Amino acid sequence: MANTWWGSHLLSSGADDELWAVSSAPVTRGQLRTSVTDLGERFREQGITEGSSVLLRMKPSFTYLHVLLALWSRGAQVVLVDFRLKPAEYEPLSDLVRPQYLVAATGAGGPVAGFRQESGFSVQRLPNGRPAVDGVRLVQFSSGSTGRPKVIGRPADSVLAEIDRHSAVPGIPGKGERVMLLNSVMHNMGLVSGVLHALAAGATLIVPPTLRPAEVVRMMARTETSAVYGTPVHYDLLSRVDSRPELPALRLAVSGGERVPQETHDRFRTHFGLPISPVYGVTEFGLIAGDLSGASVPPQLGPPVPGAEVKVVDEELFVRMKRSPYLYGGHTDRFADGWLRTYDRVRQDPATGVLTMLGRADSLAVVGGLKVDLAEVETVLLDHPRVTETVVTHGEVIEAFVGTDQELASDELVAWCRERLSPAKNPKRFFVAKRLPRNSMGKLVRDRALMHEHVESELPSQTQGDR
């Protein structure tokens, strides 16, 4: 392994016997360094070198993380593709980026069964691959919640700058603390906020081999976890665990990805004795805002973190970047003159700088000549005691897709909305299902056609016609 690669300092710190991570078994920093070095030599023999482009598609495991670090140590550009994607989702992405190499899981059949200690993989040289885009070391795809993933490339200095932003956040887990990671290591929050920050800070990473809530809580107690990182879905499940051991070391719960429902926030605080602290970022830039003090509650996001320069224009959030993060052209509506347009609508407190999420700029619809914020309609629906999740879309009319684990008639939703919304904002059609589809990052899918396809597959769902 070269001593000069851009992340070498992340691996070199700490004694060999210092605990790096725990899943079904512990891994020391010395074991991590040895594994990365050995894998780097294997990749050298395969011809992977500075400027090679490699698509990485493996099951979540410590081997996956070792492979990623080893590829970076060889100077490769690594394209991360979620193992859970179906061929119809994965193959067009591969065709788009045209990597020179494929590092893929062996024995790939069957579902992903949690986080593994080790996993097998193969290395394949691909025909007609193109080399890395100059300077780019990490390639990811947008969440695709609208059905159109974007190819996002980040140079080494972008990733390192995000790690620095994490270290500057007051209350961030530090050396000697134990950080439980529930987020996928294949995506930005799990990879940078979890894995890379823990490496840089000297914290120990705790990755449950299973996400069954009761077992996760028991592992928190057994490992003396001090901080947990997850998504709203994780916290909703954890807050429903009936019998919980004492967790005296737990001081911090951090959530990102989407807004934490107020009910989940309140129930978790009641059961665990601490709030869910928000962080906010985008794949193109990484961490933008956050508050780990417990002072910010949904829909507040906290203030911009040190190192993130933002501006709010007509309630839209922009963040300063050195270069466009989008590879292979396009998306000129999102980056101009050094500013990334997030399409998130926010309000910023002039005194504290705290950002409050208002919704998406692309969630505005015009109904009868009036502007309707579909996020407002979603907020009203989420206030219903039996609604667990919702997506509101607009085509010819406003439609509401509602997830619930209880009996819920669409007529009840009609009455609920009519009492709380003006006529132009009321959904004309309701579709009720046990759960709504989410993408590989755990975010709700917002593509109208995909939502219709899902609810039709769950028939008999309760469908309410035009009102």
Side-chain angles (χ1 to χ4, degrees), residues 35-89:
S35 179
V36 171
T37 299
D38 291 346
L39 288 168
E41 179 61 22
R42 176 177 172 180
F43 295 141
R44 184 193 67 79
E45 294 172 354
Q46 295 278 348
I48 296 175
T49 187
E50 182 78 25
S52 296
S53 59
V54 183
L55 190 147
L56 177 59
R57 184 171 182 258
M58 289 176 59
K59 297 177 181 179
S61 63
F62 285 137
T63 305
Y64 171 90
L65 297 176
H66 298 172
V67 165
L68 174 58
L69 293 170
L71 289 170
W72 277 340
S73 78
R74 295 294 305 154
Q77 169 187 288
V78 184
V79 183
L80 302 185
V81 173
D82 196 311
F83 180 80
R84 294 166 293 187
L85 295 183
K86 304 295 184 184
E89 299 171 294

Short mmCIF file of all heavy atoms in Angstrom, two decimals, residues 35-89:
data_model
loop_
_atom_site.label_atom_id
_atom_site.label_comp_id
_atom_site.label_asym_id
_atom_site.label_seq_id
_atom_site.Cartn_x
_atom_site.Cartn_y
_atom_site.Cartn_z
N SER A 35 -5.10 -6.23 6.32
CA SER A 35 -6.03 -6.64 5.28
C SER A 35 -5.99 -5.68 4.09
O SER A 35 -5.97 -6.12 2.93
CB SER A 35 -7.45 -6.70 5.84
OG SER A 35 -8.38 -7.07 4.85
N VAL A 36 -5.96 -4.38 4.36
CA VAL A 36 -5.94 -3.40 3.28
C VAL A 36 -4.64 -3.53 2.47
O VAL A 36 -4.65 -3.45 1.24
CB VAL A 36 -6.11 -1.97 3.84
CG1 VAL A 36 -5.87 -0.93 2.75
CG2 VAL A 36 -7.51 -1.80 4.43
N THR A 37 -3.52 -3.74 3.15
CA THR A 37 -2.25 -3.92 2.46
C THR A 37 -2.27 -5.16 1.57
O THR A 37 -1.85 -5.11 0.40
CB THR A 37 -1.10 -4.02 3.47
OG1 THR A 37 -1.03 -2.83 4.24
CG2 THR A 37 0.22 -4.24 2.76
N ASP A 38 -2.76 -6.28 2.11
CA ASP A 38 -2.80 -7.52 1.33
C ASP A 38 -3.73 -7.39 0.13
O ASP A 38 -3.40 -7.85 -0.98
CB ASP A 38 -3.27 -8.68 2.21
CG ASP A 38 -2.25 -9.05 3.28
OD1 ASP A 38 -1.09 -8.61 3.17
OD2 ASP A 38 -2.63 -9.78 4.23
N LEU A 39 -4.88 -6.76 0.32
CA LEU A 39 -5.81 -6.57 -0.80
C LEU A 39 -5.23 -5.62 -1.84
O LEU A 39 -5.41 -5.82 -3.04
CB LEU A 39 -7.15 -6.04 -0.28
CG LEU A 39 -8.01 -7.05 0.49
CD1 LEU A 39 -9.16 -6.33 1.19
CD2 LEU A 39 -8.56 -8.12 -0.45
N GLY A 40 -4.53 -4.59 -1.37
CA GLY A 40 -3.88 -3.68 -2.31
C GLY A 40 -2.90 -4.40 -3.21
O GLY A 40 -2.80 -4.12 -4.41
N GLU A 41 -2.15 -5.35 -2.65
CA GLU A 41 -1.22 -6.13 -3.46
C GLU A 41 -1.98 -7.01 -4.46
O GLU A 41 -1.56 -7.14 -5.62
CB GLU A 41 -0.36 -7.00 -2.54
CG GLU A 41 0.64 -7.90 -3.25
CD GLU A 41 1.66 -7.13 -4.08
OE1 GLU A 41 1.88 -5.93 -3.82
OE2 GLU A 41 2.24 -7.75 -5.01
N ARG A 42 -3.09 -7.58 -4.04
CA ARG A 42 -3.90 -8.39 -4.95
C ARG A 42 -4.41 -7.54 -6.12
O ARG A 42 -4.36 -7.98 -7.28
CB ARG A 42 -5.07 -9.02 -4.20
CG ARG A 42 -6.04 -9.79 -5.09
CD ARG A 42 -7.14 -10.45 -4.27
NE ARG A 42 -8.17 -11.02 -5.12
CZ ARG A 42 -9.25 -11.67 -4.67
NH1 ARG A 42 -9.42 -11.82 -3.37
NH2 ARG A 42 -10.15 -12.15 -5.51
N PHE A 43 -4.85 -6.33 -5.82
CA PHE A 43 -5.36 -5.46 -6.88
C PHE A 43 -4.22 -4.99 -7.79
O PHE A 43 -4.43 -4.79 -8.99
CB PHE A 43 -6.10 -4.27 -6.27
CG PHE A 43 -7.36 -4.67 -5.54
CD1 PHE A 43 -7.73 -4.04 -4.35
CD2 PHE A 43 -8.18 -5.67 -6.03
CE1 PHE A 43 -8.88 -4.41 -3.67
CE2 PHE A 43 -9.34 -6.05 -5.36
CZ PHE A 43 -9.69 -5.42 -4.17
N ARG A 44 -3.02 -4.81 -7.23
CA ARG A 44 -1.87 -4.44 -8.07
C ARG A 44 -1.59 -5.53 -9.09
O ARG A 44 -1.34 -5.26 -10.28
CB ARG A 44 -0.63 -4.21 -7.20
CG ARG A 44 0.61 -3.73 -7.97
CD ARG A 44 1.86 -3.81 -7.15
NE ARG A 44 2.22 -5.19 -6.85
CZ ARG A 44 2.83 -6.01 -7.71
NH1 ARG A 44 3.13 -5.59 -8.93
NH2 ARG A 44 3.12 -7.25 -7.36
N GLU A 45 -1.68 -6.79 -8.64
CA GLU A 45 -1.44 -7.91 -9.55
C GLU A 45 -2.52 -8.00 -10.63
O GLU A 45 -2.27 -8.53 -11.72
CB GLU A 45 -1.39 -9.21 -8.74
CG GLU A 45 -0.19 -9.29 -7.80
CD GLU A 45 -0.26 -10.50 -6.87
OE1 GLU A 45 -1.30 -11.20 -6.89
OE2 GLU A 45 0.72 -10.73 -6.13
N GLN A 46 -3.71 -7.48 -10.33
CA GLN A 46 -4.80 -7.48 -11.31
C GLN A 46 -4.68 -6.31 -12.29
O GLN A 46 -5.47 -6.22 -13.23
CB GLN A 46 -6.14 -7.39 -10.57
CG GLN A 46 -6.47 -8.60 -9.71
CD GLN A 46 -7.05 -9.75 -10.50
OE1 GLN A 46 -7.41 -9.59 -11.65
NE2 GLN A 46 -7.15 -10.92 -9.89
N GLY A 47 -3.73 -5.42 -12.05
CA GLY A 47 -3.53 -4.29 -12.95
C GLY A 47 -4.22 -3.01 -12.53
O GLY A 47 -4.19 -2.01 -13.26
N ILE A 48 -4.85 -3.01 -11.37
CA ILE A 48 -5.53 -1.80 -10.89
C ILE A 48 -4.50 -0.84 -10.34
O ILE A 48 -3.69 -1.20 -9.47
CB ILE A 48 -6.57 -2.15 -9.81
CG1 ILE A 48 -7.67 -3.03 -10.42
CG2 ILE A 48 -7.18 -0.89 -9.20
CD1 ILE A 48 -8.69 -3.55 -9.42
N THR A 49 -4.52 0.38 -10.84
CA THR A 49 -3.50 1.36 -10.48
C THR A 49 -4.08 2.76 -10.49
O THR A 49 -5.30 2.94 -10.61
CB THR A 49 -2.32 1.24 -11.46
OG1 THR A 49 -1.25 2.09 -11.01
CG2 THR A 49 -2.72 1.65 -12.87
N GLU A 50 -3.22 3.76 -10.37
CA GLU A 50 -3.65 5.16 -10.38
C GLU A 50 -4.47 5.45 -11.63
O GLU A 50 -4.03 5.20 -12.76
CB GLU A 50 -2.42 6.08 -10.36
CG GLU A 50 -2.74 7.56 -10.31
CD GLU A 50 -3.15 8.04 -8.93
OE1 GLU A 50 -2.75 7.39 -7.93
OE2 GLU A 50 -3.85 9.06 -8.85
N GLY A 51 -5.69 5.95 -11.42
CA GLY A 51 -6.55 6.31 -12.54
C GLY A 51 -7.42 5.20 -13.06
O GLY A 51 -8.20 5.42 -14.00
N SER A 52 -7.34 4.00 -12.49
CA SER A 52 -8.26 2.93 -12.90
C SER A 52 -9.66 3.24 -12.39
O SER A 52 -9.84 3.84 -11.33
CB SER A 52 -7.81 1.58 -12.33
OG SER A 52 -6.56 1.19 -12.85
N SER A 53 -10.65 2.81 -13.14
CA SER A 53 -12.04 2.96 -12.70
C SER A 53 -12.60 1.59 -12.34
O SER A 53 -12.49 0.65 -13.13
CB SER A 53 -12.91 3.61 -13.79
OG SER A 53 -12.89 2.84 -14.98
N VAL A 54 -13.17 1.49 -11.15
CA VAL A 54 -13.61 0.20 -10.62
C VAL A 54 -15.03 0.33 -10.09
O VAL A 54 -15.32 1.22 -9.29
CB VAL A 54 -12.69 -0.27 -9.47
CG1 VAL A 54 -13.12 -1.66 -8.98
CG2 VAL A 54 -11.23 -0.28 -9.90
N LEU A 55 -15.90 -0.56 -10.53
CA LEU A 55 -17.25 -0.62 -9.98
C LEU A 55 -17.25 -1.65 -8.85
O LEU A 55 -16.86 -2.80 -9.05
CB LEU A 55 -18.26 -0.98 -11.05
CG LEU A 55 -19.75 -0.84 -10.66
CD1 LEU A 55 -20.58 -0.44 -11.87
CD2 LEU A 55 -20.29 -2.14 -10.07
N LEU A 56 -17.71 -1.24 -7.67
CA LEU A 56 -17.72 -2.09 -6.48
C LEU A 56 -19.15 -2.43 -6.12
O LEU A 56 -19.96 -1.55 -5.83
CB LEU A 56 -17.02 -1.38 -5.32
CG LEU A 56 -16.99 -2.11 -3.97
CD1 LEU A 56 -16.30 -3.45 -4.09
CD2 LEU A 56 -16.30 -1.24 -2.92
N ARG A 57 -19.45 -3.73 -6.14
CA ARG A 57 -20.80 -4.19 -5.83
C ARG A 57 -20.69 -5.45 -4.98
O ARG A 57 -20.59 -6.56 -5.49
CB ARG A 57 -21.59 -4.46 -7.11
CG ARG A 57 -23.04 -4.85 -6.88
CD ARG A 57 -23.81 -4.89 -8.20
NE ARG A 57 -25.20 -5.22 -7.97
CZ ARG A 57 -25.73 -6.43 -8.19
NH1 ARG A 57 -24.97 -7.41 -8.64
NH2 ARG A 57 -27.00 -6.67 -7.97
N MET A 58 -20.68 -5.25 -3.67
CA MET A 58 -20.50 -6.35 -2.74
C MET A 58 -21.52 -6.29 -1.62
O MET A 58 -22.14 -5.25 -1.38
CB MET A 58 -19.09 -6.31 -2.13
CG MET A 58 -17.98 -6.67 -3.07
SD MET A 58 -16.36 -6.48 -2.25
CE MET A 58 -16.55 -7.63 -0.85
N LYS A 59 -21.67 -7.41 -0.93
CA LYS A 59 -22.53 -7.44 0.24
C LYS A 59 -21.90 -6.62 1.37
O LYS A 59 -20.68 -6.54 1.49
CB LYS A 59 -22.74 -8.89 0.68
CG LYS A 59 -23.44 -9.73 -0.37
CD LYS A 59 -23.57 -11.18 0.05
CE LYS A 59 -24.26 -12.00 -1.04
NZ LYS A 59 -24.38 -13.42 -0.68
N PRO A 60 -22.72 -5.97 2.20
CA PRO A 60 -22.18 -5.16 3.30
C PRO A 60 -21.41 -6.04 4.29
O PRO A 60 -21.96 -7.00 4.83
CB PRO A 60 -23.42 -4.53 3.93
CG PRO A 60 -24.57 -5.40 3.50
CD PRO A 60 -24.19 -5.95 2.16
N SER A 61 -20.15 -5.71 4.49
CA SER A 61 -19.28 -6.52 5.33
C SER A 61 -18.01 -5.73 5.62
O SER A 61 -17.73 -4.71 4.98
CB SER A 61 -18.91 -7.83 4.62
OG SER A 61 -18.18 -7.54 3.42
N PHE A 62 -17.22 -6.23 6.56
CA PHE A 62 -15.91 -5.61 6.77
C PHE A 62 -15.03 -5.81 5.54
O PHE A 62 -14.21 -4.96 5.22
CB PHE A 62 -15.24 -6.20 8.02
CG PHE A 62 -15.83 -5.69 9.30
CD1 PHE A 62 -16.09 -6.54 10.36
CD2 PHE A 62 -16.13 -4.34 9.46
CE1 PHE A 62 -16.63 -6.08 11.55
CE2 PHE A 62 -16.68 -3.86 10.65
CZ PHE A 62 -16.93 -4.74 11.69
N THR A 63 -15.20 -6.95 4.85
CA THR A 63 -14.44 -7.16 3.62
C THR A 63 -14.72 -6.05 2.62
O THR A 63 -13.81 -5.55 1.95
CB THR A 63 -14.77 -8.53 3.01
OG1 THR A 63 -14.56 -9.56 3.97
CG2 THR A 63 -13.89 -8.80 1.80
N TYR A 64 -15.98 -5.68 2.49
CA TYR A 64 -16.36 -4.58 1.59
C TYR A 64 -15.59 -3.32 1.92
O TYR A 64 -15.04 -2.64 1.03
CB TYR A 64 -17.87 -4.36 1.70
CG TYR A 64 -18.40 -3.13 1.00
CD1 TYR A 64 -18.83 -3.19 -0.32
CD2 TYR A 64 -18.51 -1.90 1.66
CE1 TYR A 64 -19.33 -2.06 -0.97
CE2 TYR A 64 -19.01 -0.78 1.03
CZ TYR A 64 -19.42 -0.87 -0.29
OH TYR A 64 -19.91 0.25 -0.92
N LEU A 65 -15.52 -2.98 3.21
CA LEU A 65 -14.81 -1.76 3.61
C LEU A 65 -13.31 -1.89 3.36
O LEU A 65 -12.65 -0.94 2.92
CB LEU A 65 -15.09 -1.45 5.08
CG LEU A 65 -16.56 -1.17 5.41
CD1 LEU A 65 -16.74 -0.98 6.91
CD2 LEU A 65 -17.06 0.06 4.66
N HIS A 66 -12.74 -3.06 3.64
CA HIS A 66 -11.32 -3.28 3.38
C HIS A 66 -11.02 -3.14 1.89
O HIS A 66 -10.01 -2.53 1.51
CB HIS A 66 -10.90 -4.67 3.85
CG HIS A 66 -11.07 -4.89 5.32
ND1 HIS A 66 -10.89 -6.12 5.91
CD2 HIS A 66 -11.39 -4.06 6.33
CE1 HIS A 66 -11.10 -6.03 7.21
NE2 HIS A 66 -11.42 -4.77 7.48
N VAL A 67 -11.89 -3.71 1.05
CA VAL A 67 -11.71 -3.62 -0.40
C VAL A 67 -11.76 -2.17 -0.86
O VAL A 67 -10.93 -1.73 -1.67
CB VAL A 67 -12.78 -4.47 -1.11
CG1 VAL A 67 -12.85 -4.12 -2.60
CG2 VAL A 67 -12.49 -5.96 -0.94
N LEU A 68 -12.74 -1.42 -0.37
CA LEU A 68 -12.86 -0.02 -0.76
C LEU A 68 -11.60 0.76 -0.41
O LEU A 68 -11.05 1.51 -1.25
CB LEU A 68 -14.07 0.60 -0.07
CG LEU A 68 -14.28 2.11 -0.25
CD1 LEU A 68 -14.41 2.47 -1.72
CD2 LEU A 68 -15.50 2.58 0.54
N LEU A 69 -11.11 0.61 0.81
CA LEU A 69 -9.90 1.32 1.23
C LEU A 69 -8.69 0.86 0.41
O LEU A 69 -7.82 1.67 0.05
CB LEU A 69 -9.66 1.11 2.72
CG LEU A 69 -10.69 1.75 3.65
CD1 LEU A 69 -10.50 1.26 5.08
CD2 LEU A 69 -10.63 3.26 3.60
N ALA A 70 -8.61 -0.43 0.11
CA ALA A 70 -7.49 -0.93 -0.69
C ALA A 70 -7.52 -0.39 -2.11
O ALA A 70 -6.47 -0.05 -2.69
CB ALA A 70 -7.51 -2.46 -0.69
N LEU A 71 -8.70 -0.31 -2.71
CA LEU A 71 -8.81 0.27 -4.05
C LEU A 71 -8.39 1.73 -4.04
O LEU A 71 -7.68 2.20 -4.95
CB LEU A 71 -10.24 0.12 -4.56
CG LEU A 71 -10.68 -1.30 -4.93
CD1 LEU A 71 -12.19 -1.35 -5.18
CD2 LEU A 71 -9.92 -1.80 -6.15
N TRP A 72 -8.84 2.48 -3.04
CA TRP A 72 -8.41 3.87 -2.93
C TRP A 72 -6.90 3.97 -2.74
O TRP A 72 -6.26 4.87 -3.27
CB TRP A 72 -9.12 4.54 -1.76
CG TRP A 72 -10.49 5.04 -2.11
CD1 TRP A 72 -10.98 5.30 -3.36
CD2 TRP A 72 -11.55 5.36 -1.20
NE1 TRP A 72 -12.27 5.77 -3.28
CE2 TRP A 72 -12.65 5.82 -1.98
CE3 TRP A 72 -11.68 5.30 0.18
CZ2 TRP A 72 -13.85 6.22 -1.41
CZ3 TRP A 72 -12.88 5.70 0.76
CH2 TRP A 72 -13.96 6.15 -0.03
N SER A 73 -6.31 3.03 -1.99
CA SER A 73 -4.87 3.08 -1.78
C SER A 73 -4.10 2.84 -3.07
O SER A 73 -2.93 3.23 -3.19
CB SER A 73 -4.45 2.03 -0.73
OG SER A 73 -4.42 0.72 -1.26
N ARG A 74 -4.75 2.21 -4.05
CA ARG A 74 -4.13 2.00 -5.36
C ARG A 74 -4.34 3.19 -6.29
O ARG A 74 -3.89 3.17 -7.43
CB ARG A 74 -4.71 0.74 -6.03
CG ARG A 74 -4.39 -0.57 -5.32
CD ARG A 74 -2.91 -0.88 -5.36
NE ARG A 74 -2.40 -0.87 -6.73
CZ ARG A 74 -1.14 -0.60 -7.04
NH1 ARG A 74 -0.26 -0.30 -6.11
NH2 ARG A 74 -0.75 -0.62 -8.31
N GLY A 75 -5.06 4.21 -5.83
CA GLY A 75 -5.31 5.38 -6.66
C GLY A 75 -6.51 5.22 -7.58
O GLY A 75 -6.67 5.99 -8.53
N ALA A 76 -7.37 4.23 -7.30
CA ALA A 76 -8.50 3.97 -8.19
C ALA A 76 -9.67 4.89 -7.91
O ALA A 76 -9.83 5.43 -6.81
CB ALA A 76 -8.96 2.51 -8.02
N GLN A 77 -10.47 5.09 -8.94
CA GLN A 77 -11.78 5.72 -8.80
C GLN A 77 -12.78 4.61 -8.56
O GLN A 77 -12.88 3.66 -9.35
CB GLN A 77 -12.14 6.48 -10.08
CG GLN A 77 -13.58 6.96 -10.15
CD GLN A 77 -13.91 7.54 -11.51
OE1 GLN A 77 -13.47 8.63 -11.85
NE2 GLN A 77 -14.66 6.79 -12.31
N VAL A 78 -13.53 4.68 -7.45
CA VAL A 78 -14.43 3.59 -7.08
C VAL A 78 -15.87 4.04 -7.25
O VAL A 78 -16.29 5.06 -6.70
CB VAL A 78 -14.18 3.14 -5.63
CG1 VAL A 78 -15.06 1.93 -5.31
CG2 VAL A 78 -12.71 2.78 -5.42
N VAL A 79 -16.61 3.27 -8.01
CA VAL A 79 -18.03 3.50 -8.26
C VAL A 79 -18.82 2.58 -7.35
O VAL A 79 -18.70 1.35 -7.45
CB VAL A 79 -18.39 3.23 -9.73
CG1 VAL A 79 -19.86 3.54 -9.99
CG2 VAL A 79 -17.49 4.03 -10.66
N LEU A 80 -19.60 3.14 -6.43
CA LEU A 80 -20.35 2.33 -5.47
C LEU A 80 -21.75 2.04 -6.01
O LEU A 80 -22.50 2.97 -6.34
CB LEU A 80 -20.47 3.05 -4.13
CG LEU A 80 -19.15 3.42 -3.43
CD1 LEU A 80 -19.45 4.02 -2.06
CD2 LEU A 80 -18.25 2.21 -3.30
N VAL A 81 -22.09 0.77 -6.09
CA VAL A 81 -23.42 0.35 -6.52
C VAL A 81 -24.00 -0.55 -5.44
O VAL A 81 -23.36 -1.53 -5.02
CB VAL A 81 -23.38 -0.40 -7.87
CG1 VAL A 81 -24.74 -0.98 -8.20
CG2 VAL A 81 -22.93 0.54 -8.97
N ASP A 82 -25.16 -0.22 -4.97
CA ASP A 82 -25.81 -0.97 -3.89
C ASP A 82 -26.07 -2.40 -4.33
O ASP A 82 -26.66 -2.65 -5.39
CB ASP A 82 -27.12 -0.28 -3.51
CG ASP A 82 -27.66 -0.76 -2.18
OD1 ASP A 82 -27.73 -1.98 -1.97
OD2 ASP A 82 -28.01 0.10 -1.34
N PHE A 83 -25.66 -3.34 -3.49
CA PHE A 83 -25.83 -4.76 -3.80
C PHE A 83 -27.30 -5.14 -3.95
O PHE A 83 -27.64 -6.09 -4.64
CB PHE A 83 -25.18 -5.60 -2.70
CG PHE A 83 -25.30 -7.08 -2.92
CD1 PHE A 83 -24.44 -7.73 -3.78
CD2 PHE A 83 -26.29 -7.83 -2.30
CE1 PHE A 83 -24.55 -9.09 -4.02
CE2 PHE A 83 -26.41 -9.19 -2.52
CZ PHE A 83 -25.53 -9.82 -3.38
N ARG A 84 -28.19 -4.40 -3.30
CA ARG A 84 -29.61 -4.75 -3.30
C ARG A 84 -30.31 -4.40 -4.60
O ARG A 84 -31.46 -4.82 -4.82
CB ARG A 84 -30.31 -4.06 -2.13
CG ARG A 84 -29.85 -4.55 -0.78
CD ARG A 84 -30.31 -3.64 0.34
NE ARG A 84 -29.66 -2.33 0.28
CZ ARG A 84 -29.77 -1.41 1.21
NH1 ARG A 84 -30.52 -1.63 2.27
NH2 ARG A 84 -29.15 -0.25 1.09
N LEU A 85 -29.68 -3.64 -5.48
CA LEU A 85 -30.33 -3.27 -6.73
C LEU A 85 -30.55 -4.49 -7.61
O LEU A 85 -29.70 -5.38 -7.69
CB LEU A 85 -29.49 -2.24 -7.48
CG LEU A 85 -29.30 -0.88 -6.82
CD1 LEU A 85 -28.50 0.04 -7.73
CD2 LEU A 85 -30.64 -0.24 -6.48
N LYS A 86 -31.67 -4.49 -8.29
CA LYS A 86 -31.97 -5.55 -9.24
C LYS A 86 -31.17 -5.31 -10.52
O LYS A 86 -30.76 -4.18 -10.82
CB LYS A 86 -33.47 -5.57 -9.55
CG LYS A 86 -34.37 -5.71 -8.33
CD LYS A 86 -34.18 -7.05 -7.66
CE LYS A 86 -35.14 -7.21 -6.49
NZ LYS A 86 -34.93 -8.48 -5.76
N PRO A 87 -30.96 -6.37 -11.35
CA PRO A 87 -30.22 -6.17 -12.61
C PRO A 87 -30.77 -5.06 -13.48
O PRO A 87 -30.01 -4.31 -14.10
CB PRO A 87 -30.34 -7.55 -13.29
CG PRO A 87 -30.45 -8.51 -12.15
CD PRO A 87 -31.27 -7.79 -11.10
N ALA A 88 -32.10 -4.92 -13.51
CA ALA A 88 -32.70 -3.86 -14.33
C ALA A 88 -32.34 -2.47 -13.82
O ALA A 88 -32.34 -1.50 -14.59
CB ALA A 88 -34.22 -4.02 -14.37
N GLU A 89 -32.01 -2.37 -12.52
CA GLU A 89 -31.58 -1.08 -11.96
C GLU A 89 -30.08 -0.90 -12.07
O GLU A 89 -29.59 0.20 -12.31
CB GLU A 89 -31.98 -1.03 -10.47
CG GLU A 89 -33.46 -1.13 -10.19
CD GLU A 89 -33.75 -1.28 -8.72
OE1 GLU A 89 -33.38 -2.32 -8.14
OE2 GLU A 89 -34.34 -0.35 -8.13
#
